[in-house]
Amino acid sequence: MAIVLIRQDGKTASWKNALKAKAPGVPIYNYQEDHPREQVTMAIVWKHPQGTLKAYPNLQCIASFGAGVDFIFEDPGLPGNLPITRVVDPVLASDMSEFVIAQVFSYLKHLKQYALDQEERIWRPKAYRRIADEVVGIMGMGALGTVLARDLTQLGFQVRGWATSKKTGLATPCYSGQEALGEFLTPVTILVCLLPLTEQTRGILNKPLFSQLPKGAFIINVARGGHLVDADLLEMLKTGQLSGAALDVFHDEPLPKDHPFWDLPEVHLTPHIASVSDQDSVVPQLLENYRRLQKGQALLNVVSRDKGY
Ligand code: OXD
């Protein structure tokens, strides 16, 4: 039994070292080195080149290095019926919450605008906005969304959630399904997308949805670029239906140099860094699943192939 690591972002060596440090006896390979493919039972992947998984005849599990698994389901060469696992990690959730809260405050307190004004030596106070007046709507009330909802509520924001399917036992009011989307959106001044990317949610951040928000609402997308219809956002910013957006994820990453988002002061761009898997926290759960696989035990954090997350 062995593990192969498949990612193309130059971080394989540090992940391999971190895994090896905790499990010195486990054979762990970078997919680009010479290795006995028939020994590999677990592939840990992040945006792997499509088709690479087919080279492992004895694979028993595919694990994502992160919370998202959309790129795994997009691989036409995905071997059928193997369990797919994702990372569910309190550090990933609290990092995400911190990042979104930073964007919320930056928007509310006009910090980007003041930074731009400073460059031009312009003294231009803007209308003050208070936490208590803001309704934050969180689309996606899973492991990340529920932590964000809790933290924003503690800060005094009015918070509501929306999920594609019914959720029970949440501390935050949560709307579910297409039929409740309008009611959910009506008072939302700041909309955060934390949904998994599936066929159901692709392109969900579109003109019909934006039109149901109050005029001047702000969008934060920290989920996937595929949720957003870029042209619709551009149009809604132009008409003033939306006052701005904080975008951490894009259809193509890095965002192409000629994309119109780069030139808009009301768009706050970050390079997919909202929350990044922390090795200290994630390595133990990846190895725990490898051990479970060896013992034939049920794996942790298995995703549903039907739902796509
Ligand atoms: C993830 C991500 O899915 O970083 O973990 O986007």
Side-chain angles (χ1 to χ4, degrees), residues 46 66-68 92 223-224 272 275-277:
W46 183 251
L92 203 66
R224 287 289 182 264
H272 200 148
S275 182
V276 177
S277 290

Side-chain angles (χ1 to χ4, degrees), residues 46-47 64-71 87 92 96 222-224 249 272 275-277:
W46 183 251
K47 300 190 178 168
S64 170
F65 271 106
V69 289
D70 45 294
F71 63 93
V87 166
L92 203 66
M96 180 59 89
V222 279
R224 287 289 182 264
V249 287
H272 200 148
S275 182
V276 177
S277 290

Side-chain angles (χ1 to χ4, degrees), residues 64-131:
S64 170
F65 271 106
V69 289
D70 45 294
F71 63 93
I72 298 178
F73 287 113
E74 279 165 15
D75 180 355
L78 177 66
N81 296 326
L82 297 183
I84 297 169
T85 65
R86 70 199 225 31
V87 166
V88 177
D89 173 33
V91 177
L92 203 66
S94 62
D95 287 354
M96 180 59 89
S97 176
E98 282 175 22
F99 180 83
V100 173
I101 288 169
Q103 288 292 13
V104 167
F105 278 113
S106 170
Y107 161 65
L108 269 192
K109 306 299 172 186
H110 314 290
L111 298 185
K112 182 170 180 197
Q113 191 52 54
Y114 291 135
L116 293 172
D117 286 354
Q118 181 179 351
E119 282 176 23
E120 307 289 326
R121 297 176 180 265
I122 298 175
W123 183 272
R124 179 167 39 192
K126 293 178 84 71
Y128 205 82
R129 294 182 68 162
R130 291 198 172 75
I131 289 177

Side-chain angles (χ1 to χ4, degrees), residues 135-139 158-162 184 188-193:
V135 181
V136 184
I138 303 171
M139 298 180 79
Q158 302 169 59
V159 184
R160 45 175 53 202
W162 181 84
F184 160 74
V188 167
T189 52
I190 300 172
L191 182 70
V192 183
C193 180

Side-chain angles (χ1 to χ4, degrees), residues 6 32 62 76 80 89 91 95 109 122 137 151 157 180 261 264 276 280 296 303:
I6 316 182
Q32 282 163 322
I62 301 162
D89 173 33
V91 177
D95 287 354
K109 306 299 172 186
I122 298 175
D151 293 351
F157 289 94
F261 288 160
L264 296 176
V276 177
D280 289 342
V303 303

